Amino acid sequence: MTAETIKYQRKELELKALLEITQAINENKNESVLLNIFKFTCLVHLNIKSLVLYVYNQQEQFFLRRISHQVKEKLPEKIQKADVQENKELGKLSLSLSEEYSFAEVNIYVPVYHKDKMLAILFLSTKDQDAGLDLDFTQALTNILVVALENKRFARKQLEQESFRKEMEIASNVQRMLFPATLPDHNTLKAKVTYIPHSSVGGDYYDLIERSDDDVYFCVGDVSGKGMPASLLMSNFQAALRTLLRSGTDLKTIVEQLNFSTFDTTKGERFITFFLGHYSYSQKKLSYVNAGHNPPVLCTSASNSPELLEAGTTILGAFETLPFMEQGERENLDHFMLHLYTDGLTEALNPSGEEFGEERFLAYIDAHPSYNPERFHEGFLSALAEFSDGIPGRDDITLLSLQFN
């Protein structure tokens, strides 16, 4: 057989190999199928006996072993980028690996580059040393495979990002439906809320329900976590709360049922801090249960300083049965202010890394006891912005202020 014939047959085999790889890519085969087709194409059509392929993982900064065939030596699953050095002029590759690993069976390496960045390394050995191997073609074939794998990874990432965007959009819409469309602004009750989500979907929740002319319920909560899971949990929580309020159940029973419902849904993996209050105009009585939440601040004309509403129980969802329960009550209240908030407010940072803190919040309330809710929010947010001095918040901020007359 002449040299020309051998050269012609080799080119024919190379074309078959190229055709099989490109056809598989055009048919949008998955990664494992592409890797298998590449492996068997190399073994059948090219003069390759054994091969090992490492593909670079940009995010993790290492080369990951994707193919290993006919190699008995122990090979690493991953090779760190820093452990790979190539001298292009001498055509030598240096690997800084543990002595337990060896590449002696695959003594030929084929690097795959894109704009001076090494995308993959193909280690191989030939069947017949006399038959030779076109390393340039092998490199080009490997390059086609690696680029196809990279394109699939990029497409998958885009799909995941689009899926995440849609999920956030749905969660954001769900959350908007949770909040009251309007808040009372009449002679007996004026309410104002400021809600600043940290991201498109926050974990804070507030509500106000005027069940009758005599009864008003109000609450604020903070669910652990963010995104769709937190939004759905809070949606279920609100539905359960409103159902219980319609039944006329007392506050303790409502909180116990909410805790059971939350624990049953999350199996203790998520929790909610929650404050639930009720005011009766006819009795002039405020009742409340604080379930591990930042204590709301009560301001009355009879008291010289703000009062914290702390009585209650622990966070909801952490235990199947709440370990203790106390209902707080204040009587003879006919003109007072309440400020309910979440921890994003007090945890706001200034450029020095100092938190705003509860003490500053109470000092501001103490200095402006007669402000109506609208004016109070305007002034306080200005003071908070001045303190933060452009430092972005770390969490959602909710401030709900109620003025009962």
Side-chain angles (χ1 to χ4, degrees), residues 169-179 228 231-232 235:
E169 185 180 334
I170 293 169
S172 181
N173 290 335
V174 169
Q175 189 172 55
R176 277 197 296 270
M177 289 188 290
L178 291 180
F179 299 138
M228 179 66 83
S231 178
L232 291 177
S235 177

Side-chain angles (χ1 to χ4, degrees), residues 51-67:
L51 75 159
V52 181
L53 177 66
Y54 284 88
V55 178
Y56 186 59
N57 185 310
Q58 178 72 36
Q59 187 175 1
E60 302 292 339
Q61 302 279 299
F62 59 67
F63 290 87
L64 178 65
R65 178 155 53 90
R66 303 300 303 271
I67 297 176

